[in-house]
Amino acid sequence: LGRGLCPCRALLARRGGALRELHGSVRGLAAGPEMHFGFQTVTEAERREKIYQVFESVATKYDVMNDSMTLGIHRVWKDILMHKMNPSPGTLLLDVAGGTGDIAFRFINYVRSARERQLQQKLKHHQNLSWQEISESYQEGKFKPLGDSQVVVCDINKEMLKVGKQKAQHLGYSEGLSWVLGNAEELPFDDDKFDVYTIAFGIRNVTRIDLALQEAYRVLKPGGRFLCLEFSHVSSPLLSRLYDLYSFQVIPVLGEVIAGDWKSYQYLVESIRRFPPQEELKAMIEDAGFLKVDYQNLNSGIVAIHSGFKL
């Protein structure tokens, strides 16, 4: 009789194992699909938390490290992005993951210069204006140096926004600039609101790139433009080997020396290698609904600027 119970016990044990396996699978689903955090495999929730911690950790040294890591070339790349955008007075820009304000401040400078040129052209081509009309034009230019332009900086990280606000105060930027805490995958803005959407060195750190692109499409006005500046894939095999050597051997060391943070900079390097190559990202941008999508490689593809339009 005792032996006769064995098959039942075996069946129950098997069922118990199957139930435990099912419970494990359900728990895995609840945590979200597996994703990459640099070269590690983590759940979606873990990735989001780890990336938040990285940027909370590096926020105060972010600008210094950008200069050190890229030998200052990131400034040129951002200038090129601004010239590609070529915003005119009246442009409404959303800069996502732009916590430290680099794109926002460039936008304000660019629009101010464009507005000054417009004012000078207007006065030049109206030789018969009275002194009073000239004076009024100058006063209007002084009071509204940006016209109706606005830039909204949206970042998920409080520490990055704090650094950006401090920089803005220190550099004297206040008009036409606002700061919003928000997630690129679920933006806190209405549909069809912005003329231009930019994301510079931020899209590889969002958890779901597809959702971020859909949100970019949603908040842009019809005719609006999407611009993404991001580290990409180097075309030259020789340069690629040198770049790898520099990235993995030098950048984490700089992170330790300058920011006291080896691990965060190790992740940033690994995240660049995990990021989709140019053609793959182009296809993802098209899948989100954008048209006339193209990209421009800078420095042999170390970075690329992707552009698309909501038409």
Side-chain angles (χ1 to χ4, degrees), residues 94 152-156 161 165 178-183 188-189:
L94 173 63
V152 177
V153 179
C154 180
D155 202 297
I156 198 169
L161 283 173
K165 285 176 186 174
S178 53
W179 307 84
V180 174
L181 188 69
N183 186 346
F189 306 109

Side-chain angles (χ1 to χ4, degrees), residues 154 180-184 186-190 193-194 215 218-219:
C154 180
V180 174
L181 188 69
N183 186 346
E186 202 176 342
L187 292 168
F189 306 109
D190 295 337
K193 185 174 173 65
F194 297 94
E215 280 291 270
R218 180 183 68 77
V219 300

Side-chain angles (χ1 to χ4, degrees), residues 47-94:
R47 185 178 195 272
R48 191 171 277 116
E49 178 59 29
K50 280 175 178 289
I51 288 171
Y52 191 92
Q53 285 168 1
V54 164
F55 285 93
E56 195 167 52
S57 167
V58 304
T60 54
K61 299 285 185 180
Y62 188 74
D63 289 330
V64 180
M65 274 304 298
N66 274 351
D67 281 333
S68 306
M69 284 184 343
T70 68
L71 310 175
I73 301 168
H74 75 100
R75 296 170 183 269
V76 178
W77 295 333
K78 288 166 184 170
D79 288 341
I80 293 169
L81 177 72
M82 197 50 58
H83 283 281
K84 199 172 176 73
M85 186 196 304
N86 190 22
S88 54
T91 300
L92 187 56
L93 168 66
L94 173 63

